[in-house]
Structure formats: C-alpha cells, structure tokens
C-alpha cells in the first residue's frame, strides 16, 4: 500500500490520505461524498496522488 500524505489548505493539517478519506462527507460544491480534513472538517479538493 502506497502511503500518500496530504495537507489541508485550510488549517495546514498533514496526515495520510486514508485519514482524510475516512472523514469523507457530503460536499455541496461537488454534489458527492469526498475527503474532508479530520482536523477542521473542510472539504479537501486538492488531493495529490503520488504513484
Ligand atoms: Zn467538494
Ligand atoms: Zn483542515
């Protein structure tokens, strides 16, 4: 499993992408569920996948 680290642009919280995915919730901007910051609960829109 590849560890992808992401950073929240709102609060600069950094954690594994899986932690952001775990906090997925409905986003009314995107009309779908996606990752949210576990720390500030803001929608995460700039996920960078490093393969
Ligand atoms: Zn969204
Ligand atoms: Zn945040």
């Amino acid at each position: 499993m590849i560890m992808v680290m992401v950073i929240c642009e709102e609060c600069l919280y950094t954690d594994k992408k899986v932690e952001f995915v775990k906090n997925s919730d409905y986003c009314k901007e995107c009309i779908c569920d996606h990752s949210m910051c576990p720390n500030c609960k803001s929608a995460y829109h700039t996920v960078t996948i490093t393969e």
Side-chain angles (χ1 to χ4, degrees):
M1 185 183 160
I2 303 159
M3 283 295 182
V4 180
M5 301 299 288
V6 294
I7 186 163
C8 172
E9 37 180 28
E10 294 298 323
C11 68
L12 304 182
Y13 177 81
T14 309
D15 207 344
K16 295 184 288 293
K17 183 173 183 284
V18 67
E19 295 298 327
F20 280 70
V21 173
K22 261 191 231 167
N23 282 272
S24 293
D25 208 346
Y26 185 77
C27 173
K28 41 188 188 312
E29 287 172 53
C30 305
I31 328 288
C32 68
D33 284 17
H34 67 68
S35 307
M36 299 278 169
C37 174
N39 189 50
C40 70
K41 308 297 179 192
S42 68
Y44 195 77
H45 288 119
T46 52
V47 175
T48 306
I49 311 284
T50 312
E51 292 185 82

